[in-house]
Amino acid sequence: METFRYLPDVTTLTLNEKDCVGCGVCEIVCPHGVFLLHNKTARIHDRDGCMECGACAKNCPAEAIGVSPGVGCAAYIIQTWIKGKNAASCSSSECC
Amino acid sequence: MNEKFPQNAGCCERPDGQPPGIQIAPAPITAGSLQDEVCCGSPPGPASHEFEKPGFALLDFVEEFVETPVGPVPRVKTALKWPDHAGALRVRLGLNRNQYKIAPGLYCVGAPDSRAPVLVTANYKLSFDILRQALTAISAWILVLDTRGINVWCAAGKDLFSTDEVVRRVKRSELEKVVTHNELILPQLAATGVAAHHVKKESGFKVIWGPIRARDIKHFLSNGLKAETSMRQVTFTIRDRVVLIPVELSHLQKPSLWILLTAFLISGIGTHVFSLSAAWARGIMLIIAYAAGILAGAVTTPVLLPWVPGRSFALKGAIIGILSGVGIAALFRSNLDPLGSLAFILCTTAISSYLAMNFTGSTPFTSPSGVEKEMRKAIPLQATALLLAIVAWVGSAFAG
């Protein structure tokens, strides 16, 4: 999303181009247009657009994409600090 | 009691002395006796609908039931009615938002046959309503998953709109008996929770990633199941941001009670150890500072988000917080000494920065790595500002 840019150089996104089978599913599922297919190989076109939702890695049949997925939500992250990652929840009355 | 309707006088008292509504022996009902025995003048409601079943409630968004090889499937209306709008308003205000859901399973719109597309969605009623509203003049099957009443993207993030749930719901609804093809159209934002290649392996159904927004589905269907680039990217318009504000505010109810109490307690401290009149008079000012912080961080910053300088939300909130704090403290300058003004501005800034930082959870573009990075910097600063605000506020009571 060009009108909104968040902090640069933070994403955990990695792409191993050697493993890419060129199916293009990453380009389809990414809601921020991070990937583009060049000569039947995926390339990271806009790294700082990544919000680490994990859709690309989840759907890559070649497991060529790595990302530590999660929700970019301060209230949730505070909960993980206090209660630990497993007990934290972003359901009930908090955010989404 | 019947002064207004004298023609009904005595109608609520049965001639046999029985209280209204209780009938000892069922009398044969004829059109004539119905007319005569109507209590208090209102005509009786319609007869039970043929689709009603003991133990079930007929929902008002269901038009009728269509027969399919797997039994009757509800055909839903594509126009939203008053109860749908009222329900949407209620959840937008953050009231009982976790209970706004419909039963998972197979529904339909129009007159779908065995070749009609299958659209998959969440069972949050707001999501379902937005989808069916976008399907006017379309014939399609709608497979509603059990996402525990959570919208598509959030449910996918929580692994509720998941590969397993898609496979389970396809099997449980016996979809293969209803359609002759093997394609499911899923909203693109479900890709965080659903691995398309695993769905194919486990259910035989091929996932086709539909557009992000329901309003693009008609175009997607008529365009040979192809989405334009713009349909694949999230946006965050001013309207999108404004509708989120009431829910943000509703989260503040509980902490606000404690903050109000603390504000009055702190404000009472002074040269007389504790003064109730000071607690009231100065407490009000502190509450105004808090309210200004809420307005700046949870309302103004989200609305002005793209135009406030900075990338970090805590910084954006702090900027709006300082501006609001200075402006409002100037309005109340007759009630505030310099130290009190400083406390006022610090309080508004800290609250605004914190709340703006919390708005990250409502946006569709902040990464967890980024949010954590800004929080590690911002929270110590916000805490320091709040502490300084309290010291300055109590100090101003002694200075004055």
Side-chain angles (χ1 to χ4, degrees), chain B residues 2-315:
Chain B
N2 280 315
E3 279 167 352
K4 265 177 111 178
F5 304 104
Q7 72 274 26
N8 289 336
C11 95
C12 290
E13 288 158 32
R14 299 271 293 251
D16 55 9
Q18 286 295 325
I22 294 182
Q23 206 168 20
I24 301 244
I29 296 174
T30 63
S33 70
L34 247 182
Q35 285 291 325
D36 293 340
E37 294 198 39
V38 167
C39 187
C40 298
S42 51
S48 290
H49 200 281
E50 57 173 313
F51 299 126
E52 281 183 52
K53 267 187 184 178
F56 293 83
L58 191 64
L59 295 167
D60 43 31
F61 58 81
V62 175
E63 206 150 40
E64 61 168 340
F65 289 81
V66 294
E67 273 308 322
T68 72
V70 295
V73 166
R75 186 212 310 277
V76 299
K77 298 169 185 168
T78 55
L80 298 193
K81 296 286 186 305
W82 186 84
D84 305 315
H85 293 300
L89 183 68
R90 186 169 58 83
V91 294
R92 289 297 192 189
L93 293 173
L95 302 168
N96 220 1
R97 210 159 54 104
N98 301 317
Q99 294 304 318
Y100 199 52
K101 54 187 177 187
I102 60 163
L106 196 61
Y107 295 76
C108 73
V109 285
D113 58 15
S114 62
R115 289 160 302 160
V118 179
L119 304 169
V120 182
T121 192
N123 77 329
Y124 184 34
K125 185 160 180 287
L126 200 60
S127 307
F128 180 71
D129 283 357
I130 291 169
L131 175 63
R132 65 190 171 94
Q133 198 182 15
L135 298 176
T136 328
I138 298 269
S139 290
W141 303 100
I142 303 175
L143 185 64
V144 175
L145 305 185
D146 185 1
T147 60
R148 321 275 178 89
I150 294 171
N151 70 66
V152 173
W153 208 3
C154 289
K158 292 172 205 282
D159 225 23
L160 294 171
F161 199 130
S162 61
T163 306
D164 287 352
E165 175 58 18
V166 173
V167 171
R168 190 184 311 134
R169 205 54 57 185
V170 162
K171 288 186 176 159
R172 209 173 274 186
S173 63
E174 300 177 283
L175 194 61
E176 78 285 353
K177 294 183 184 165
V178 180
V179 292
T180 47
H181 61 79
N182 69 336
E183 290 178 347
L184 301 172
I185 299 173
L186 265 67
Q188 185 191 327
L189 291 184
T192 302
V194 177
H197 51 297
H198 288 153
V199 171
K200 178 82 203 287
K201 217 179 285 172
E202 292 171 39
S203 73
F205 276 83
K206 181 186 169 199
V207 169
I208 294 172
W209 295 111
I212 286 178
R213 284 163 294 266
R215 64 162 184 264
D216 293 327
I217 283 181
K218 265 192 189 172
H219 182 81
F220 179 80
L221 291 175
S222 62
N223 195 33
L225 307 187
K226 293 267 181 299
E228 318 285 344
T229 310
S230 64
M231 297 182 194
R232 295 242 172 261
Q233 305 213 349
V234 288
T235 49
F236 201 37
T237 62
I238 190 157
R239 192 185 170 278
D240 295 337
R241 303 195 297 276
V242 167
V243 296
L244 298 172
I245 290 170
V247 169
E248 290 292 309
L249 294 177
S250 75
H251 291 160
L252 297 175
Q253 288 170 30
K254 229 196 279 174
S256 290
L257 262 174
W258 292 104
I259 288 164
L260 291 180
L261 195 70
T262 316
F264 285 115
L265 283 178
I266 292 171
S267 299
I269 302 170
T271 43
H272 299 92
V273 185
F274 189 85
S275 142
L276 263 184
S277 61
W280 179 248
R282 305 186 70 235
I284 293 283
M285 286 312 300
L286 212 49
I287 299 304
I288 293 172
Y290 174 61
I294 293 177
L295 193 69
V299 180
T300 314
T301 308
V303 171
L304 301 179
L305 199 64
W307 304 291
V308 184
R311 295 241 172 131
S312 139
F313 280 52
L315 177 62

